[in-house]
Amino acid sequence: MEMHLPRRRLPYLLPHLLPSQLALPPRSLLPLCPQTRSIPIPPMALRAIASRKTLAALGSGLRAQARLATTAAAAAASRGLVTFSLPDLPYDYGALEPAVSAEIMQLHHQKHHQSYVTNYNKALEQLEDAVARDDAPAVVKLQSAIKFNGGGHINHSIFWKNLAPIHEGGGEPPKGSLGWAIDADFGSWEAFVQKMNAEGAALQGSGWVWLGLDKEFKKLVVETTANQDPLVTKGANLVPLIGIDVWEHAYYLQYKNAKPDYLKNIWKVIDWKYASEVYEKECR
Amino acid sequence: MSANTMSYHWGKHHRSYVDNLNKQILGTELQGKSLEDVIVQTYNNGDLHPAFNNAAQVWNHDFFWDSMKPGGGGKPSGELLKLIERDFGSFEKFAEEFRAAAATQFGSGWAWLAFNPRPSDGKELVVLKTPNAVNPLVLGYTALLTIDVWEHAYYLDYQNRRPDYISIFMEKLVSWDAVSAKLEVAKAQAA
């Protein structure tokens, strides 16, 4: 009798590598955060997370690239595969100047983040094929590409939400429960910022510095991750609230080797609306 | 590779590694040791001491400048070419493997051509890619050639286009004379 392996859906293989930390706040409304695993979010819901404004006029090169990426994604989607797409920024590329230059924002979004999305989709498609032909070595070999590129997509999607132009609230420290929690867990706002900057400056190589919520202990933590590792790789209970990209591509064209200056200045455009929403939903 | 990049890369990044390493080892038992000894000791079999990053990056950048020359590029010759053809099949196959290693080192790091004095498969020449500050020294190999693929090495000139930077390195910058000289030393030491 011929054995057919069931065609398994990707989400059930790799729940912890799905962007379950993207945008949509956790669904729990209980007073205490239950210790349940993050539920994989259906891909349609993820694609619906488009930001409010669309991009300003794009160069023709980008249009061609976007068409190519869309075509590949459409082809994959027609096979019933999970595909992801580059989220729009809720502000223009130049809106964060002078803290972060328009040139950096455009490259960072259109080239770096787009490349993570494209390669993530490619890796997921290859994974689906490997699973279907029961090729375990190939499945294992794909894990690093999924971690790099999926992580890159997760992290940058959060990052864009952590930024806003000054006239839209960027730079304003958090009020309400998250503001009080920062005072409680770090002593003061200044001490918190200093800790983030110290950890970000000390990080060697590429990575991220995070303000995270340990949802088990209801404590705020400052953590770093290497390369594109999402915060959850530092602890399954950690929920990212604010992430600051300290890969050189995030600041080099403007700040060159002066990473501490970048860290000092980016606080002028760090926005707390998303972080506060996530925090309040997790810890009523 | 623009003068602008060189002034930051050598004048700021490399200089910082040197200054910070000196500060870090002052008054410690590492002071007075050779750079190679400091690197191996602070690598500590992968359980890195704080001074490792600076020490290894000082060495790596010294080696990187040595791997290049104005009017470089082209192909190697003599003993080096012979060994490359023996261990990779052809120079083109080696170049492809080296470029791929440089392009796929995720995050910060380096790609290397290195000499393995005790190869289990008889192939003395290997292409390696290493993360952050790690180099062949701590892995027991002798470095012959390197390319820096930290973003600071190419971002001003090429932005995200790392493959273009790697191509220019191979076509116009690599100093095969320097690589040949290092191979001679490596073989003499292994004998």
Side-chain angles (χ1 to χ4, degrees):
Chain A
M1 184 173 95
E2 212 187 338
M3 291 292 291
H4 275 292
L5 285 162
R7 202 174 158 80
R8 286 171 285 179
R9 291 277 316 173
L10 288 172
Y12 300 111
L13 270 179
L14 303 164
H16 69 289
L17 286 172
L18 274 187
S20 55
Q21 295 167 341
L22 268 178
L24 293 187
R27 298 160 196 196
S28 168
L29 294 176
L30 297 172
L32 290 170
C33 298
Q35 289 180 35
T36 53
R37 218 154 153 217
S38 290
I39 307 160
I41 293 176
M44 284 312 295
L46 282 166
R47 275 198 288 275
I49 303 166
S51 305
R52 275 91 64 194
K53 285 191 220 156
T54 52
L55 291 168
L58 304 173
S60 61
L62 175 70
R63 274 193 283 273
Q65 198 180 323
R67 264 203 299 277
L68 205 61
T70 314
T71 313
S78 71
R79 287 169 50 196
L81 286 172
V82 176
T83 60
F84 299 95
S85 52
L86 183 69
D88 288 337
L89 296 190
Y91 36 78
D92 293 337
Y93 289 135
L96 304 182
E97 289 195 333
V100 185
S101 72
E103 189 187 14
I104 286 182
M105 289 304 294
Q106 178 162 359
L107 280 166
H108 205 172
H109 182 248
Q110 285 182 8
K111 301 289 179 183
H112 291 274
H113 189 174
Q114 177 65 69
S115 159
Y116 291 128
V117 170
T118 304
N119 291 329
Y120 185 33
N121 286 331
K122 211 167 26 171
L124 290 177
E125 190 173 348
Q126 290 170 332
L127 179 67
E128 176 98 344
D129 291 341
V131 168
R133 58 173 196 269
D134 205 24
D135 185 347
V139 168
V140 172
K141 202 161 165 226
L142 282 162
Q143 299 306 303
S144 65
I146 288 170
K147 187 178 178 186
F148 296 158
N149 294 296
H153 178 44
I154 293 171
N155 296 337
H156 286 86
S157 298
I158 295 170
F159 187 47
W160 310 136
K161 289 180 178 339
N162 288 151
L163 300 166
I166 292 171
H167 63 84
E168 286 180 24
E172 279 281 321
K175 314 274 195 304
S177 56
L178 181 49
W180 305 327
I182 286 178
D183 284 343
D185 290 342
F186 298 104
S188 68
W189 165 254
E190 290 76 19
F192 156 68
V193 170
Q194 214 200 52
K195 190 167 165 78
M196 287 283 279
N197 290 348
E199 299 271 338
L203 191 150
Q204 285 157 10
S206 307
W208 291 75
V209 58
W210 302 96
L211 170 66
L213 168 67
D214 183 327
K215 61 185 181 186
E216 186 182 340
F217 295 110
K218 299 289 168 49
K219 292 263 317 179
L220 294 175
V221 295
V222 168
E223 264 292 354
T224 58
T225 56
N227 298 330
Q228 291 300 349
D229 296 356
L231 181 60
V232 73
T233 58
K234 278 289 177 90
N237 292 313
L238 297 181
V239 179
L241 302 177
I242 297 285
I244 300 178
D245 191 349
V246 289
W247 280 63
E248 287 172 328
H249 65 240
Y251 61 87
Y252 205 80
L253 291 178
Q254 186 177 355
Y255 293 94
K256 313 294 192 305
N257 62 307
K259 187 175 21 164
D261 288 350
Y262 159 69
L263 288 166
K264 210 174 72 171
N265 281 293
I266 197 164
W267 292 101
K268 299 176 183 161
V269 289
I270 293 282
D271 184 81
W272 289 87
K273 289 193 260 316
Y274 166 75
S276 299
E277 269 169 29
V278 173
Y279 181 79
E280 279 158 27
K281 285 274 155 72
E282 282 289 352
C283 296
R284 283 188 190 278
Chain B
M1 189 175 288
S2 67
N4 196 28
T5 291
M6 289 303 292
S7 80
Y8 280 104
H9 202 174
W10 175 82
K12 303 279 184 187
H13 290 273
H14 192 181
R15 189 183 299 280
S16 266
Y17 289 127
V18 172
D19 291 345
N20 291 333
L21 175 65
N22 285 333
K23 272 188 245 168
Q24 241 172 346
I25 64 175
L26 186 67
T28 73
E29 50 125 14
L30 293 171
Q31 189 178 356
K33 293 204 164 153
S34 76
L35 184 58
E36 282 81 1
D37 284 348
V38 173
I39 290 170
V40 171
Q41 198 173 325
T42 55
Y43 181 70
N44 198 25
N45 291 308
D47 184 16
L48 309 180
H49 275 202
F52 174 75
N53 192 65
N54 287 322
Q57 286 291 79
V58 169
W59 192 96
N60 296 339
H61 284 86
D62 281 344
F63 199 84
F64 182 47
W65 309 135
D66 243 10
S67 295
M68 296 186 286
K69 69 175 191 191
K75 279 176 73 153
S77 55
E79 183 66 23
L80 175 59
L81 181 61
K82 229 174 67 188
L83 276 195
I84 285 178
E85 287 173 341
R86 184 196 73 182
D87 290 348
F88 294 96
S90 65
F91 173 72
E92 285 67 31
K93 291 225 190 84
F94 151 73
E96 205 185 289
E97 205 177 309
F98 184 77
R99 286 167 187 250
T104 60
Q105 173 51 38
F106 193 76
S108 309
W110 304 76
W112 308 84
L113 173 64
F115 179 85
N116 180 0
R118 283 169 301 275
S120 53
D121 60 356
K123 292 196 177 171
E124 288 169 315
L125 295 185
V126 289
V127 163
L128 301 170
K129 57 186 183 186
T130 58
N132 295 348
V134 178
N135 61 29
L137 211 66
V138 306
L139 304 172
Y141 300 149
T142 305
L144 300 177
L145 167 67
T146 195
I147 179 173
D148 187 350
V149 291
W150 282 61
E151 285 176 324
H152 65 240
Y154 59 90
Y155 213 82
L156 294 178
D157 296 334
Y158 299 94
Q159 294 80 59
N160 62 305
R161 301 182 318 272
R162 197 197 286 187
D164 289 350
Y165 157 68
I166 297 167
S167 289
I168 292 288
F169 175 85
M170 293 299 279
E171 288 160 24
K172 302 234 159 85
L173 294 173
V174 60
S175 168
W176 291 115
D177 297 336
V179 180
S180 288
K182 294 189 166 63
L183 176 64
E184 258 184 67
V185 173
K187 285 176 81 79
Q189 280 173 346

